[in-house]
C-alpha cells in the first residue's frame, strides 16, 4: 500500500509569540504552552499504544483501567492483514445483500449507526437514494432507522418499503438490548416477514445482525437461525466501532471502498506512531484543543465543516467526544456547524458572542466534483455577471478565508483539519485521527474515555415507566 496524502492539522493561527499583548494571548496559545504539552503528548501516545497492545496480546486488563475499549486501534491492521478473510466475508455479504435488495434499512443508534451515516454522506452521491439503480452503481438505497422512537419516521419508512420483499435489514446493537433498536427490529422484521409472505428462508437471506457475543439480539439471531451474524469484538466500544463490521458492512453495501477506508485509518496509525508531537495530527489536535479549554476557557468545541457532505462526520465526532469525555463535570461540549449554511444562523454568536469556543475548520483540499460556475445572464438585476466566471468552490474558499479573517480580526483565531479529499481514504484517516485524539484527550483530562455510565439514567427511568412491576 502506498502512503496516502496525509490529513493536515494546522494550528499555526492559534499560536502567538510569548510577548504578544495580553488581550491577544488571552485567546490563543504561546510557545511556552507548546513546550509544556509536547512531552505530555509523547507520554500519552505511549500509553495509548500500550493499552492497544494489551488487547492484541490478550490482556489481562487491570481493574483500574476498566473499561478499556482500546481494541479499536488495531482494527485496520487486523482486517487488512490477519483477519483479511473476515473482511472478505463482510464484502461478500454486502454484495449478496446488494444483489437481493433495492433498499437496505440500517437499524442502530449512537455508535451503532453514526459512522455508517458519515460514510454514506461522504462517499455516496448526495442524492444516492433518488438515483436509479445503474446510477447507484448497482447498490441499494440506504435508510437509517432504530435511532429514535419517532412514529412518523418509522411509519414513513414502512410506507416507502411497501409490501414487497425487495429490501433487507442490517440490525446493529452491541449490547443487543437497546430499546430503540430492538423495537425497530421487531417492527421492521414483521414487515419483512409479511413482504416475504412468511417464507423464513427469504427472510433469513435478508437480515444480517451485528452484535456482541452474548445478549438478546444474539439470542434472537440464534433462535431465528440467521445464517450470517457479525460480531462486535470485545474491547471495541460502540462509538469506536466504525471500522469493525458495524461501519464496514453498511459501507460495503452502499458501495464504499472499505479497503481504502481501512488503509486510510492504518496510515493514520503510522503517522501517530512515528511523527513527533507538534507534527502529529491526532496528538496535536488533542493537545491543542485541551490546552485551549483548560487554559483559555474554550469549553465549546466547534467543528466547522465546509461542505454539506461532512455534516454526518461532524455529528459522529459530536457523539464520540460527548460520550467519551463528558464525565465527572468535565469535558468539552461538541458542536458541529455546516458552512456556509450556519454562518446565517450561528455565525453571529461565533463572531461576537461569548469567548468560550475553539473553532476548528474541517475542510477538503480541492473539489471532488466538476466546479459549477455562476454563469452570465441577460437578466443581471442580481449583479452576478461580475462573478460570472467564479465557481462555487472558489466562493466557498472565499467565504472560509473571509470568516477566518473576521474571527482573527476580533482575536478569535481558528485552526484547520485539512482532508486531502472527500473519499474513503481521507475519511478513514479522519475517523482514526479523531478516535485516537479523543483517547489522548481523556488521558490529558484524567478521565477514562471508554464507557458511558451517564446514558443509563434515562434508560432506567424509561424502563420503569414502560414496564411497571
Ligand atoms: O458509544 C456507545 O457505546 C453508544 O453510543 C452505543 O453505541 C449506543 O448506546 C448503542 O448501543 P448498542 O450498540 O448496545 O445498541
Amino acid at each position: 500500500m502506498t502512503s496516502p496524502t496525509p490529513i493536515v492539522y494546522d494550528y499555526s493561527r492559534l499560536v502567538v509569540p510569548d510577548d504578544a499583548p495580553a488581550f491577544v494571548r488571552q485567546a490563543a496559545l504561546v510557545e511556552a504552552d507548546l513546550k509544556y504539552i509536547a512531552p505530555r503528548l509523547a507520554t500519552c501516545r505511549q500509553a495509548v499504544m500500550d493499552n492497544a497492545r494489551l488487547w492484541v496480546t490478550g490482556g489481562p486488563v487491570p481493574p483500574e483501567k476498566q473499561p478499556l475499549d482500546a481494541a479499536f486501534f488495531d482494527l485496520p491492521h487486523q482486517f487488512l492483514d490477519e483477519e483479511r478473510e473476515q473482511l472478505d466475508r463482510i464484502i461478500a455479504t454486502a454484495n449478496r445483500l446488494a444483489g437481493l435488495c433495492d433498499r437496505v434499512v440500517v437499524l442502530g443508534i449512537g455508535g451503532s449507526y453514526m459512522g455508517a451515516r458519515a460514510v454514506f454522506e461522504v462517499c455516496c452521491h448526495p442524492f444516492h437514494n433518488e438515483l436509479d439503480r445503474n446510477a447507484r452503481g448497482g447498490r441499494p438505497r440506504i435508510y437509517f432507522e432504530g435511532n429514535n422512537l419517532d412514529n412518523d419516521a418509522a411509519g414513513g419508512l414502512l410506507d416507502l418499503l411497501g409490501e414487497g420483499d425487495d429490501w433487507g435489514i442490517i440490525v446493529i446493537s452491541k449490547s443487543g438490548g437497546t430499546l430503540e433498536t430492538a423495537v425497530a427490529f421487531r417492527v421492521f422484521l414483521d414487515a419483512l416477514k409479511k413482504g416475504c409472505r412468511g417464507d423464513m428462508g427469504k427472510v433469513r437471506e435478508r437480515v444480517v445482525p451485528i452484535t456482541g457475543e452474548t445478549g438478546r439480539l444474539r439470542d434472537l439471531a440464534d433462535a431465528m437461525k440467521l445464517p450470517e451474524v457479525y460480531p462486535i469484538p470485545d474491547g471495541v466500544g460502540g462509538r469506536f466501532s466504525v471500522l469493525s463490521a458495524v461501519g464496514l458492512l453498511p459501507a460495503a453495501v452502499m458501495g464504499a471502498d472499505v479497503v481504502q477506508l481501512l488503509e486510510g485509518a492504518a496510515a493514520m496509525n503510522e503517522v501517530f506512531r512515528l511523527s513527533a508531537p507538534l507534527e502529529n495530527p491526532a496528538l496535536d489536535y488533542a493537545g491543542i484543543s485541551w490546552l485551549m479549554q483548560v487554559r483559555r476557557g474554550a469549553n465549546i468545541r466547534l467543528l466547522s465543516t465546509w461542505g454539506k457532505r461532512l455534516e454526518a462526520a461532524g455529528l459522529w465526532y459530536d457523539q464520540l467526544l460527548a460520550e467519551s469525555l463528558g464525565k465527572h463535570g468535565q469535558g468539552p461540549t461538541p458542536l458541529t456547524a455546516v458552512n456556509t449554511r450556519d454562518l446565517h444562523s450561528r455565525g453571529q454568536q461565533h463572531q461576537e458572542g461569548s469567548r468560550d469556543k475553539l473553532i476548528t475548520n474541517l475542510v477538503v483540499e480541492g473539489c471532488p466534483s466538476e466546479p459549477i460556475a455562476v454563469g452570465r445572464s441577460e437578466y443581471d438585476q442580481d449583479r452576478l455577471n461580475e462573478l460570472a466566471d467564479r465557481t462555487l468552490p472558489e466562493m466557498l474558499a472565499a467565504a472560509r478565508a473571509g470568516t477566518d479573517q473576521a474571527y482573527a480580526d476580533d482575536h478569535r483565531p481558528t485552526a484547520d483539519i485539512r482532508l486531502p479529499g472527500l473519499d474513503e481514504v481521507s475519511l478513514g484517516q479522519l475517523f482514526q485521527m479523531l478516535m485516537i485524539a479523543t483517547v489522548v484527550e481523556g488521558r490529558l483530562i484524567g478521565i477514562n474515555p471508554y464507557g458511558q455510565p451517564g446514558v443509563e439514567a434515562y434508560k432506567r427511568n424509561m424502563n420503569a415507566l414502560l414496564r411497571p412491576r
Side-chain angles (χ1 to χ4, degrees):
M1 170 191 123
T2 52
S3 304
T5 310
I7 283 185
V8 172
Y9 173 56
D10 179 358
Y11 56 92
S12 56
R13 297 191 300 273
L14 286 174
V15 183
V16 297
D18 287 356
D19 59 356
F23 67 91
V24 174
R25 277 186 280 119
Q26 254 163 31
L29 299 174
V30 292
E31 292 296 333
D33 292 315
L34 301 185
K35 284 201 186 100
Y36 166 83
I37 198 73
R40 279 161 185 77
L41 290 177
T43 309
C44 288
R45 169 171 51 189
Q46 194 53 51
V48 169
M49 291 193 309
D50 289 347
N51 285 340
R53 203 165 307 120
L54 264 185
W55 276 102
V56 177
T57 56
V61 178
E64 71 279 6
K65 286 194 174 179
Q66 287 176 8
L68 179 69
D69 288 342
F72 79 90
F73 186 81
D74 272 300
L75 285 176
H77 304 282
Q78 284 171 17
F79 276 119
L80 291 170
D81 302 326
E82 303 108 75
E83 291 175 23
R84 183 61 196 230
E85 215 180 285
Q86 219 207 339
L87 180 63
D88 291 341
R89 261 196 331 113
I90 289 174
I91 294 171
T93 302
N95 290 341
R96 190 184 60 69
L97 268 185
L100 215 53
C101 303
D102 183 54
R103 301 177 199 266
V104 168
V105 181
V106 179
L107 301 178
I109 194 167
S112 285
Y113 96 103
M114 299 188 87
R117 170 127 224 160
V119 177
F120 186 55
E121 294 199 2
V122 166
C123 301
C124 294
H125 187 285
F127 294 95
H128 176 93
N129 284 352
E130 273 71 53
L131 301 176
D132 68 33
R133 189 154 180 114
N134 265 346
R136 282 185 268 128
R139 312 311 293 187
R141 303 168 211 269
I142 306 291
Y143 302 89
F144 295 93
E145 252 305 327
N147 52 39
N148 211 316
L149 294 166
D150 183 316
N151 201 65
D152 293 346
L157 182 52
L158 288 167
D159 287 345
L160 189 70
L161 294 168
E163 294 179 355
D165 61 2
D166 61 343
W167 61 281
I169 300 173
I170 298 176
V171 52
I172 308 172
S173 176
K174 183 171 183 194
S175 62
T178 303
L179 192 67
E180 287 88 338
T181 307
V183 168
F185 186 42
R186 179 167 291 201
V187 170
F188 282 82
L189 182 62
D190 188 50
L192 185 61
K193 281 187 203 150
K194 288 188 181 123
C196 293
R197 311 283 175 257
D199 179 340
M200 282 308 288
K202 276 175 127 186
V203 172
R204 287 187 190 101
E205 286 177 340
R206 287 161 174 73
V207 177
V208 183
I210 302 173
T211 188
E213 294 298 350
T214 56
R216 292 179 190 178
L217 179 55
R218 174 67 63 168
D219 295 344
L220 195 51
D222 289 347
M224 286 177 66
K225 300 190 174 45
L226 295 177
E228 290 185 292
V229 184
Y230 283 94
I232 304 173
D234 277 350
V236 177
R239 57 193 172 276
F240 293 90
S241 68
V242 61
L243 299 174
S244 73
V246 170
L248 296 177
L249 181 65
V253 169
M254 61 187 77
D257 187 331
V258 290
V259 171
Q260 287 195 10
L261 208 53
L262 291 164
E263 284 180 349
M268 179 52 68
N269 276 358
E270 284 317 289
V271 173
F272 174 67
R273 260 192 260 265
L274 301 175
S275 305
L278 307 183
E279 292 168 18
N280 183 317
L283 272 184
D284 301 351
Y285 175 73
I288 298 286
S289 303
W290 177 72
L291 280 173
M292 285 297 290
Q293 181 176 12
V294 296
R295 298 208 160 167
R296 301 293 180 272
N299 290 319
I300 298 188
R301 183 78 48 82
L302 182 69
L303 192 67
S304 190
T305 67
W306 290 86
K308 292 183 178 184
R309 287 168 68 189
L310 289 167
E311 182 166 22
L315 295 176
W316 168 84
Y317 178 56
D318 274 11
Q319 191 237 350
L320 177 68
L321 196 69
E323 279 198 348
S324 301
L325 304 185
K327 291 168 186 161
H328 313 302
Q330 299 188 76
T333 300
L335 182 63
T336 289
V338 180
N339 289 330
T340 60
R341 183 190 75 192
D342 293 350
L343 292 176
H344 294 257
S345 56
R346 297 188 175 123
Q348 168 65 34
Q349 217 283 335
H350 302 165
Q351 181 70 52
E352 294 184 351
S354 33
R355 293 178 182 273
D356 54 1
K357 295 166 207 68
L358 168 60
I359 300 182
T360 304
N361 295 307
L362 182 61
V363 295
V364 183
E365 305 278 17
C367 176
S369 51
E370 186 63 32
I372 299 168
V374 174
R376 201 162 293 282
S377 169
E378 76 238 59
Y379 302 108
D380 191 36
Q381 284 71 12
D382 50 14
R383 302 282 311 279
L384 288 180
N385 278 350
E386 60 197 32
L387 297 177
D389 296 330
R390 295 292 195 177
T391 64
L392 291 181
E394 279 176 336
M395 290 193 282
L396 187 70
R400 178 159 57 83
T403 306
D404 281 340
Q405 186 61 52
Y407 292 152
D409 289 347
D410 195 45
H411 305 293
R412 296 168 186 257
T414 52
D416 292 340
I417 296 173
R418 292 197 209 112
L419 304 181
L422 204 47
D423 52 26
E424 289 85 343
V425 179
S426 302
L427 186 60
Q429 288 189 63
L430 182 70
F431 280 147
Q432 196 73 356
M433 170 186 158
L434 293 177
M435 287 190 286
I436 294 171
T438 302
V439 175
V440 169
E441 194 173 345
R443 294 200 77 84
L444 291 169
I445 300 173
I447 56 173
N448 185 344
Y450 305 114
Q452 57 284 338
V455 180
E456 294 310 312
Y458 104 86
K459 290 189 197 168
R460 252 194 326 272
N461 295 342
M462 175 173 71
N463 274 311
L465 290 168
L466 290 173
R467 305 180 210 247
R469 273 183 217 130

